[in-house]
C-alpha cells in the first residue's frame, strides 16, 4: 500500500507504531521491584482499574504509585514504579525516526495515543533526533482529553481541533478496533500489525 495522493494529514499512534512495546520486559521489571501483583495486570493485558484510570487521566502519577503500593503492600518509591511501568516502551528506532522526518516534508503530522503521562514523558525524553517532536503539529493524548480510542469522540476531537478533513487524513494504528472506529468517520486507516509495517507506505 502507498499513501493515496489526496491524503494531506497523517495521524500516528504511539505504542505499536512509532514506539515499540515489550510486555515481557515490563513484567520482568515489576518482578524486579517486588510488584508481582502488578505484573499480572501486564501479563493478562488487563486495562481495567489502575492502568485505565491512568490512561484516562482520572488519577495522577502520584496516585498511580500510591495504588501500586496499596496493591503490593510494599514501600516502593515512585521512581521504582515509574521505571518499571515505562519499561513497556522500547523507543523509536533510527529507521522509524527518519521515516517520520521524511513524511513531515509532505504531510501535516499528528499523534493520537491512548497513553499516560509517565509513558509520554519518557517518549519526549528519548526521542533523540533534534526537533523530532516538533514535526508533530499536535498530540492528542487520552490522559489529557479524558477520552480513549476507540471512542468516536476522540477522533472527532482530533478532526475539530486540528482543523483537518477526515477524507484527507490517514490514521495509522496497531489496533483493528481503533482503525474501524476511525473509518466510521470517513478517516482512511492503515492497520499496523507489526511495528515496522507502516514503513512500506513510503
Amino acid at each position: 500500500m502507498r499513501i493515496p495522493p489526496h491524503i494531506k494529514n497523517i495521524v500516528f499512534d504511539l505504542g505499536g507504531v512509532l514506539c515499540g512495546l515489550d510486555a515481557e520486559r515490563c513484567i520482568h521489571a515489576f518482578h524486579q521491584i517486588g510488584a508481582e501483583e502488578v505484573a499480572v495486570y501486564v501479563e493478562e493485558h488487563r486495562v481495567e482499574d489502575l492502568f485505565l484510570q491512568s490512561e484516562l487521566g482520572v488519577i495522577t502519577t502520584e496516585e498511580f504509585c500510591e495504588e501500586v503500593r496499596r496493591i503490593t503492600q510494599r514501600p516502593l518509591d515512585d521512581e521504582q514504579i515509574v521505571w518499571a511501568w515505562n519499561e513497556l516502551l522500547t523507543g523509536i528506532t533510527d529507521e522509524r525516526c527518519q521515516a517520520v522526518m521524511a513524511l513531515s516534508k509532505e504531510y501535516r503530522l499528528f499523534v493520537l495515543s491512548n497513553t499516560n503521562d509517565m509513558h509520554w514523558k519518557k517518549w519526549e525524553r528519548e526521542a533523540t533526533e533534534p526537533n523530532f517532536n516538533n514535526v508533530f503539529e499536535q498530540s492528542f493524548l487520552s490522559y489529557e482529553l479524558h477520552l480513549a480510542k476507540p471512542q468516536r469522540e476522540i477522533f472527532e476531537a482530533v478532526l475539530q481541533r486540528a482543523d483537518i478533513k477526515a477524507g484527507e487524513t490517514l490514521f495509522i494504528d496497531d489496533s483493528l478496533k481503533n482503525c474501524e472506529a476511525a473509518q466510521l468517520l470517513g478517516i482512511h486507516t492503515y492497520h499496523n500489525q507489526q511495528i515496522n509495517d507502516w514503513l512500506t507506505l513510503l
Side-chain angles (χ1 to χ4, degrees):
M1 174 183 169
R2 295 290 178 180
I3 298 175
H6 58 278
I7 293 296
K8 298 180 180 180
N9 321 291
I10 302 178
V11 181
F12 291 90
D13 178 42
L14 181 62
V17 176
L18 293 175
C19 185
L21 302 173
D22 190 337
E24 288 302 317
R25 191 174 78 164
C26 182
I27 292 165
H28 179 68
F30 275 119
H31 278 277
Q32 275 188 281
I33 66 171
E36 293 84 0
E37 297 90 343
V38 179
V40 172
Y41 279 68
V42 183
E43 190 172 9
E44 297 179 356
H45 305 287
R46 289 162 56 186
V47 294
E48 61 200 29
D49 304 330
L50 178 64
F51 294 144
L52 180 60
Q53 289 176 22
S54 176
E55 193 172 81
L56 288 173
V58 175
I59 59 175
T60 64
T61 293
E62 292 75 18
E63 290 169 330
F64 175 92
C65 293
E66 188 59 38
E67 181 64 9
V68 169
R69 283 188 284 271
R70 186 194 67 78
I71 292 170
T72 62
Q73 293 296 298
R74 292 179 178 86
L76 303 169
D77 60 45
D78 288 4
E79 290 76 14
Q80 288 177 298
I81 296 166
V82 171
W83 167 78
W85 184 212
N86 276 345
E87 283 293 279
L88 181 67
L89 303 184
T90 63
I92 186 168
T93 61
D94 288 342
E95 185 180 20
R96 293 196 296 274
C97 181
Q98 293 306 317
V100 169
M101 299 298 284
L103 288 169
S104 70
K105 297 175 182 178
E106 297 184 51
Y107 304 95
R108 297 176 65 191
L109 306 185
F110 305 88
V111 174
L112 170 58
S113 179
N114 287 358
T115 193
N116 56 76
D117 61 340
M118 293 168 277
H119 286 172
W120 186 250
K121 287 175 182 176
K122 178 179 180 178
W123 161 257
E124 290 187 312
R125 286 194 306 270
E126 297 185 358
T128 55
E129 177 75 20
N131 300 316
F132 177 77
N133 282 315
N134 292 334
V135 304
F136 299 102
E137 288 191 29
Q138 296 182 62
S139 298
F140 300 92
L141 311 173
S142 61
Y143 78 92
E144 293 181 337
L145 295 173
H146 308 296
L147 294 167
K149 298 174 290 185
Q151 289 177 272
R152 179 186 179 93
E153 291 82 0
I154 199 167
F155 295 104
E156 291 174 333
V158 172
L159 296 174
Q160 181 179 8
R161 297 187 190 193
D163 192 23
I164 57 179
K165 297 178 180 178
E168 297 176 348
T169 301
L170 174 66
F171 171 55
I172 305 173
D173 197 284
D174 62 328
S175 164
L176 182 58
K177 286 184 178 180
N178 293 343
C179 289
E180 291 172 343
Q183 289 167 12
L184 292 175
L185 290 171
I187 299 171
H188 298 269
T189 66
Y190 180 81
H191 179 210
N192 197 58
Q193 298 182 63
Q194 299 293 329
I195 185 67
N196 288 326
D197 283 356
W198 66 271
L199 296 177
T200 62
L201 296 170
L202 278 69

